Amino acid sequence: MMMSTAAGVVNSISVNYGRRQGGCSSFNVTQLCNSNFKSNSKFNPSLMITTTASTRTTSLHVSASSSSAAPGGQFSDQWVDAKTKQSGKRIAGIDQDELLDPKVLADADSCFCEFKGVHIHHKVYDAESKPNSSLQNQALTQLPQQIKKIGFPMILLHGFGASVFSWSRVMKPLGEVTGSKVLAFDRPAFGLTSRPFSFHHSSPDSKDKKPLNPYSMAFAVLATLYLIDFLAAEKAIVVGHSAGSLVAVNSYFEAPERVAALILVAPAILAPRVVQKVVERNRSERNESNDRIEKERSDLNPMNRFIKLLKMLSMFIKYIMRSIVQMAKGMADMINSLYKKALSAFLRSAFAVTVVRMVMDKFGLAAVRNAFYDSKKFTEHIAYGYTKPLKAKGWDRALLEFTAAMLTDTDSDPKPPVAKRLHEISCPVLIVTGDTDRIVPSWNAERLSRAIPGSKLEVLKHCGHLPHEEKVEEFVSIVERFLQNAFGCSEGKSVQAVV
């Protein structure tokens, strides 16, 4: 992926990975960021977390998120006028005048690996290679057996609009609990993972094969499984928060042998209602009995020929009705296809970019604040962590691509939807929810728990949609107990969480 001239200092970055190392590339991100920021006199970190009502209510001007658009006319830059780049334009407090390559925004502990042309931003905490503090050394010395018994690495999947930042407070404690590596990564459209826009165009040697959409669920699942390989592990504990829970469950269905356990935090998975199978079975048995009685009567009735004729006529009518239904379904599919094409075109239009910027400016930080039970825990540090990706090139277009993939992508896989397959999950499952979750209510988590056989449900009191951020110690303790029970750890032994 080419760097912009505005961030040309990053061209010297060389990212070399060993597939089975699980470590970060060796470059000084802080030094690169500092050198770049010094060359940009407009940059002011304090401005990145402040905004005013007057700024938000000024007339909206859309600026280009990237210096070039995908071939074929999508997101054409022709509509971008120089007048749209007004000085001081901000989205959720983030200056939009000069967006940067994601790697320039990376932290000192940030890592990047390439998967199917996408540079995935991730962070890794390795408990085995970092026994630095005395508390960690004490935990590792006292509890070697538990670490061996758990031993699986952990993959963390963030929710919609979040990034690896949302896991920053629990990565280290979870690493101490598992005694292994914990990896959190940004899915495309979020965080600091690259945002490609040329995937709509097939290569010459794959004319009949649709390219894999990096913003699709299929890509997120394959990336999750790839990162398990990246950690040189056969299995991993997969943790998903909110919409990330759906990625976690789909990853299990794609390769159940690779998932040691599932931990679903405030899961945004619509739980199915209980089906009254007994009623359906009784109705079926009653129908069979009626059919048998009717057959016995027909054999004795002199008008049996007439009855048989009526049956044949009934079957013919059913066949005609079935044909009509098939035709109607075909028309519905055609209309649905046209609707999806129109919606997809709209989501990739300049107007949609304007809308998504307006929504993020007006409601972005408010949504994160509302996710907390205690709004006082929503600090400037958290605001900066959630809004930092808005400084990355193409964030607005990528968010629309993600939305388009979620709403319009058709899956050729004949498998039934996730909600109808939950009963097939056989690995250990923990579901954690807050009792005052305003985004995904706790009753949905309770229904989800009933739909997954043997799953464990934990409801945190006085907690919202972010248990892993708002109730760190309780969350880690719950995960620790779950893993002890799931993998046969001795009772009475626990790793002291490092918060």
Side-chain angles (χ1 to χ4, degrees):
M1 182 174 181
M2 296 298 293
M3 307 292 184
S4 69
T5 56
V9 67
V10 192
N11 287 332
S12 60
I13 295 177
S14 175
V15 184
N16 296 314
Y17 275 88
R19 177 179 176 83
R20 302 177 67 85
Q21 295 301 316
C24 299
S25 56
S26 56
F27 59 84
N28 192 328
V29 177
T30 304
Q31 182 179 357
L32 290 171
C33 293
N34 289 339
S35 63
N36 183 69
F37 292 156
K38 288 177 182 178
S39 65
N40 181 3
S41 59
K42 294 182 180 180
F43 180 78
N44 186 344
S46 64
L47 295 179
M48 298 185 73
I49 54 175
T50 60
T51 185
T52 62
S54 61
T55 302
R56 291 195 299 267
T57 56
T58 57
S59 60
L60 185 62
H61 296 275
V62 181
S63 61
S65 313
S66 178
S67 59
S68 63
Q74 289 177 339
F75 283 112
S76 173
D77 287 334
Q78 293 179 359
W79 59 270
V80 179
D81 188 87
K83 294 182 180 180
T84 61
K85 295 185 178 181
Q86 289 189 350
S87 177
K89 179 57 193 169
R90 307 168 75 79
I91 302 294
I94 301 297
D95 188 1
Q96 298 292 296
D97 281 345
E98 189 174 345
L99 301 180
L100 304 173
D101 187 278
K103 289 182 180 178
V104 180
L105 301 168
D107 300 318
D109 58 344
S110 291
C111 305
F112 291 89
C113 63
E114 184 175 348
F115 176 67
K116 295 187 178 297
V118 177
H119 297 276
I120 298 178
H121 173 247
H122 61 280
K123 294 187 178 183
V124 180
Y125 177 79
D126 188 353
E128 293 179 336
S129 64
K130 296 182 179 180
N132 298 321
S133 69
S134 59
L135 183 57
Q136 290 176 10
N137 280 322
Q138 182 180 2
L140 293 172
T141 302
Q142 291 179 351
L143 301 169
Q145 294 182 350
Q146 177 182 314
I147 292 174
K148 290 181 180 179
K149 289 182 179 179
I150 295 178
F152 296 110
M154 187 176 281
I155 304 289
L156 307 178
L157 302 167
H158 63 77
F160 181 86
S163 65
V164 299
F165 173 80
S166 67
W167 300 107
S168 58
R169 297 188 64 194
V170 295
M171 282 189 69
K172 189 174 181 179
L174 289 175
E176 299 304 324
V177 166
T178 62
S180 187
K181 295 176 182 178
V182 176
L183 183 150
F185 75 98
D186 294 332
R187 287 179 285 154
F190 305 105
L192 303 182
T193 288
S194 65
R195 294 158 167 84
F197 298 108
S198 60
F199 59 91
H200 294 287
H201 307 278
S202 302
S203 57
D205 58 344
S206 59
K207 294 180 180 179
D208 299 329
K209 186 177 181 181
K210 184 179 179 181
L212 181 62
N213 186 341
Y215 304 100
S216 66
M217 174 61 69
F219 184 94
V221 168
L222 293 178
T224 301
L225 299 176
Y226 165 78
L227 289 169
I228 297 177
D229 288 334
F230 181 76
L231 295 178
E234 294 183 2
K235 290 187 176 184
I237 300 164
V238 182
V239 185
H241 170 245
S242 193
S245 295
L246 189 58
V247 180
V249 172
N250 274 291
S251 298
Y252 171 85
F253 287 131
E254 180 67 21
E257 72 281 0
R258 308 301 307 278
V259 179
L262 287 169
I263 300 177
L264 311 178
V265 187
I269 302 174
L270 184 61
R273 295 182 180 276
V274 177
V275 179
Q276 299 294 336
K277 294 184 178 180
V278 175
V279 175
E280 292 182 355
R281 184 171 62 251
N282 290 340
R283 184 183 296 121
S284 177
E285 291 175 354
R286 186 166 57 252
N287 290 338
E288 290 178 0
S289 177
N290 291 337
D291 290 342
R292 185 173 61 257
I293 294 173
E294 183 180 352
K295 184 179 183 303
E296 292 174 355
R297 289 178 178 177
S298 65
D299 292 338
L300 300 175
N301 196 321
M303 299 183 66
N304 58 350
R305 293 182 179 179
F306 180 70
I307 294 175
K308 289 181 179 179
L309 181 62
L310 288 178
K311 286 184 177 181
M312 292 176 62
L313 181 61
S314 175
M315 291 177 62
F316 178 73
I317 293 174
K318 287 181 180 179
Y319 174 79
I320 297 297
M321 292 301 298
R322 189 181 298 114
S323 300
I324 293 174
V325 170
Q326 292 283 350
M327 292 174 60
K329 185 177 182 300
M331 293 179 63
D333 290 341
M334 181 183 68
I335 294 173
N336 187 43
S337 177
L338 293 174
Y339 160 75
K340 288 183 176 180
K341 288 181 179 179
L343 180 60
S344 178
F346 166 75
L347 290 173
R348 296 183 175 99
S349 68
F351 178 72
V353 173
T354 301
V355 172
V356 76
R357 285 183 165 226
M358 180 178 65
V359 170
M360 288 299 295
D361 183 46
K362 198 169 185 66
F363 303 108
L365 288 178
V368 181
R369 184 184 294 107
N370 193 53
F372 284 86
Y373 168 79
D374 184 2
S375 60
K376 293 180 181 178
K377 293 184 178 181
F378 180 75
T379 62
E380 288 189 351
H381 172 71
I382 292 175
Y384 175 77
Y386 272 89
T387 57
K388 182 179 179 180
L390 299 182
K391 191 70 176 175
K393 287 181 179 180
W395 70 264
D396 43 9
R397 294 162 53 193
L399 190 58
L400 288 168
E401 288 288 356
F402 178 86
T403 304
M406 182 173 59
L407 296 177
T408 66
D409 271 10
T410 55
D411 189 0
S412 59
D413 193 342
K415 295 178 182 178
V418 167
K420 295 183 178 181
R421 302 183 64 194
L422 294 172
H423 66 280
E424 299 176 16
I425 299 177
S426 59
C427 72
V429 178
L430 170 65
I431 301 173
V432 182
T433 186
D435 64 345
T436 54
D437 191 333
R438 303 181 187 93
I439 298 176
V440 181
S442 58
W443 57 259
N444 184 75
E446 294 172 0
R447 279 173 49 180
L448 191 66
S449 177
R450 291 195 294 269
I452 302 176
S455 62
K456 174 69 174 177
L457 174 66
E458 294 282 356
V459 182
L460 290 159
K461 295 183 178 180
H462 308 300
C463 181
H465 189 60
L466 304 167
H468 56 296
E469 295 188 63
E470 193 169 15
K471 298 280 187 177
V472 174
E473 293 184 4
E474 288 184 52
F475 175 77
V476 173
S477 178
I478 287 171
V479 171
E480 181 183 359
R481 289 198 303 268
F482 166 74
L483 294 178
Q484 288 175 359
N485 293 330
F487 301 108
C489 299
S490 302
E491 295 183 0
K493 296 182 178 181
S494 62
V495 175
Q496 177 68 40
V498 181
V499 179

